[in-house]
Amino acid sequence: MGQKVSPTGFRLGVTEDWRSRWYSDKDYAKNLENDLAIRKFLDKQLSHAAVARVEIERAGDKIKVIITTSRPGVVIGKKGAEVDALRKKLNQIANGPVSVEVIEVKRPELDANLIAQSVAEQLENRVAFRRAMRKAVQSARKSGAKGIRIQCAGRLGGAEMSRREWYREGRVPLHTLRAKIDYGFATAATTMGSIGIQVWVYHGEVLPGQKAPQPALEGSSRPNRSRRRNDRGNK
């Protein structure tokens, strides 16, 4: 079952929240079409901005778009110029006022979507797929992931026949509903054809009443400079 079902959809309401949060009676099809248009536009517009996920909230006529990215400076731009231009275009697509919120991913090596995008970029730049996968696994484990699995499928290494290869370190319990599994997917457009990259990152179990952990948004992967100075002084 773990191979057949999307880990995100499988855990909705347990450890995962909906990516679009609104209720509609008569205008459901219209709102859904509008959501898809917003997501398609942002995918194209922010393809270089390392966007982990896009969430949409609706309350009456108001629409709120939450962009989670590891490069907030690219999305916001100088003095907010880029985000203002983005807001104007979203207003035209949604035919109404849209507010944009940007959330920074402080540890991108723990976010499954960003890991998949990083591996895809490396494959497009002709990096060996095994090397790219191993590097991503090691980075995630060093940052505190309890388990990670990466799978690449396609004409790996330019082979005639397509195949799939995967690496795993730690535990990745796909059948456990209370397990917080972050799932990401990306496609690498190589000269030999498309290669699909799937990533599963395990962040621990969520017991009833507990809040699901989001380690990629918490803390910082950058070393604490004051601590390093103190260490040097003690030496």
Side-chain angles (χ1 to χ4, degrees):
M1 184 178 277
Q3 295 174 345
K4 308 291 185 293
V5 179
S6 165
T8 306
F10 191 45
R11 291 171 177 81
L12 276 176
V14 184
T15 61
E16 293 292 330
D17 199 2
W18 282 259
R19 301 293 188 254
S20 288
R21 294 184 285 276
W22 46 266
Y23 174 79
S24 180
D25 203 355
K26 293 181 291 182
D27 300 326
Y28 181 86
K30 183 184 169 187
N31 287 347
L32 178 60
E33 193 178 359
N34 197 232
D35 273 16
L36 292 172
I38 289 170
R39 289 179 189 281
K40 188 177 179 182
F41 166 74
L42 290 174
D43 278 349
K44 188 177 179 183
Q45 194 75 10
L46 303 175
S47 57
H48 59 290
V51 174
R53 72 183 62 86
V54 174
E55 296 172 76
I56 300 169
E57 293 180 355
R58 292 173 188 265
D61 295 335
K62 293 178 182 176
I63 302 170
K64 185 179 182 183
V65 177
I66 303 164
I67 300 168
T68 308
T69 172
S70 63
R71 297 178 192 163
V74 176
V75 179
I76 295 166
K78 196 174 182 181
K79 294 182 181 177
E82 293 292 328
V83 80
D84 286 342
L86 199 68
R87 195 181 291 111
K88 284 177 186 174
K89 288 177 182 174
L90 287 173
N91 288 345
Q92 292 172 3
I93 293 167
N95 294 321
V98 177
S99 63
V100 178
E101 184 184 340
V102 180
I103 297 174
E104 184 185 1
V105 178
K106 293 176 181 175
R107 292 197 281 176
E109 60 276 2
L110 287 176
D111 189 282
N113 272 310
L114 296 179
I115 294 168
Q117 287 174 32
S118 170
V119 173
E121 281 176 24
Q122 289 178 66
L123 294 182
E124 287 172 356
N125 293 329
R126 298 174 183 270
V127 174
F129 73 94
R130 286 194 186 96
R131 186 180 174 188
M133 286 163 74
R134 273 200 214 103
K135 190 178 174 184
V137 166
Q138 287 167 5
S139 296
R141 289 289 279 167
K142 277 180 186 175
S143 296
K146 296 194 175 180
I148 179 172
R149 175 180 166 172
I150 299 182
Q151 178 175 287
C152 287
R155 291 184 63 189
L156 302 175
E160 288 290 319
M161 289 276 288
S162 66
R163 68 182 196 277
R164 64 180 62 186
E165 285 201 20
W166 55 272
Y167 282 98
R168 185 182 66 203
E169 270 193 29
R171 286 182 65 227
V172 187
L174 295 179
H175 289 234
T176 309
L177 272 174
R178 64 175 177 268
K180 171 65 178 170
I181 303 276
D182 191 17
Y183 173 72
F185 175 79
T187 304
T190 67
T191 52
M192 293 295 179
S194 294
I195 294 176
I197 299 105
Q198 288 177 287
V199 179
W200 296 261
V201 183
Y202 174 52
H203 294 305
E205 290 192 357
V206 181
L207 297 173
Q210 283 186 341
K211 191 180 176 183
Q214 290 186 310
L217 304 179
E218 299 157 5
S220 173
S221 59
R222 301 184 187 107
N224 190 328
R225 290 182 180 178
S226 60
R227 189 189 296 171
R228 285 172 67 188
R229 285 196 198 105
N230 291 336
D231 290 344
R232 284 173 190 163
N234 293 334
K235 286 176 185 177

